[in-house]
């Protein structure tokens, strides 16, 4: 199973089996603005920054820590989008193959791009050619 398939299955699980948890987290978001402890708890309750960093390092990303934060931002955005954003208007039922099929290509493209990044500080000029 590819990382993109695994991650899309997790996001779909959040949309389906853990929907109440996700909605409760959004409901607490306003309170978290003034409560660092709550904000920290909410920030790590659905996605793991450590696991994302390990994945990005495994994939050979130039900046695993930074890319891990970006990956979680992507996943948070996809989760919100499927619940309330433009993707919610597609009426794709969570917990179905169509749901993971909607998520997997987006996550795959992002992972593939992040894994192919080159640290610009290691080059002295434009690429040859």
């Amino acid at each position: 199973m590819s990382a993109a398939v695994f991650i899309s299955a997790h996001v779909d699980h959040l949309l389906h089996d853990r929907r109440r948890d996700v909605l409760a987290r959004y409901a607490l978001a306003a309170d978290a603005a003034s409560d660092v402890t709550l904000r920290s708890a909410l920030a790590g309750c659905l996605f793991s920054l450590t696991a994302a960093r390990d994945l990005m390092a495994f994939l050979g990303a130039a900046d695993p820590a930074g890319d891990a934060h970006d990956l979680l931002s992507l996943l948070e955005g996809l989760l919100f989008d499927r619940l309330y954003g433009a993707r919610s208007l597609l009426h794709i039922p969570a917990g179905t193959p169509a749901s993971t099929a909607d998520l997997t290509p987006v996550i795959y493209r992002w992972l593939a791009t992040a894994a192919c990044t080159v640290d610009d500080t290691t080059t002295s000029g434009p690429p040859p050619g």
Side-chain angles (χ1 to χ4, degrees):
M1 175 183 298
S2 76
V5 171
F6 181 81
I7 294 169
S8 66
H10 177 66
V11 174
D12 183 63
H13 174 74
L14 294 172
L15 289 165
H16 188 256
D17 298 326
R18 294 192 56 201
R19 181 180 173 89
R20 289 180 54 193
D21 297 335
V22 173
L23 296 177
R25 181 175 178 253
Y26 289 148
L28 290 168
D31 294 335
S34 61
D35 184 336
V36 175
T37 303
L38 179 58
R39 186 170 49 239
S40 179
L42 293 178
C45 71
L46 300 179
F47 301 106
S48 168
L49 183 58
T50 302
R53 187 176 51 242
D54 291 348
L55 172 64
M56 298 316 302
F58 176 79
L59 293 176
D63 178 15
D67 289 342
H69 283 279
D70 293 346
L71 174 59
L72 295 192
S73 294
L74 171 74
L75 299 177
E76 293 277 6
L78 282 171
L79 184 62
F80 188 87
D81 194 33
R82 283 287 301 275
L83 287 170
Y84 299 114
R87 274 186 155 82
S88 71
L89 302 176
L90 299 174
H91 304 288
I92 301 168
T96 66
S99 179
T100 53
D102 174 59
L103 298 165
T104 301
V106 177
I107 296 166
Y108 176 83
R109 283 190 301 272
W110 190 91
L111 289 174
T113 300
C116 292
T117 59
V118 176
D119 183 355
D120 290 333
T121 63
T122 62
T123 60
S124 58

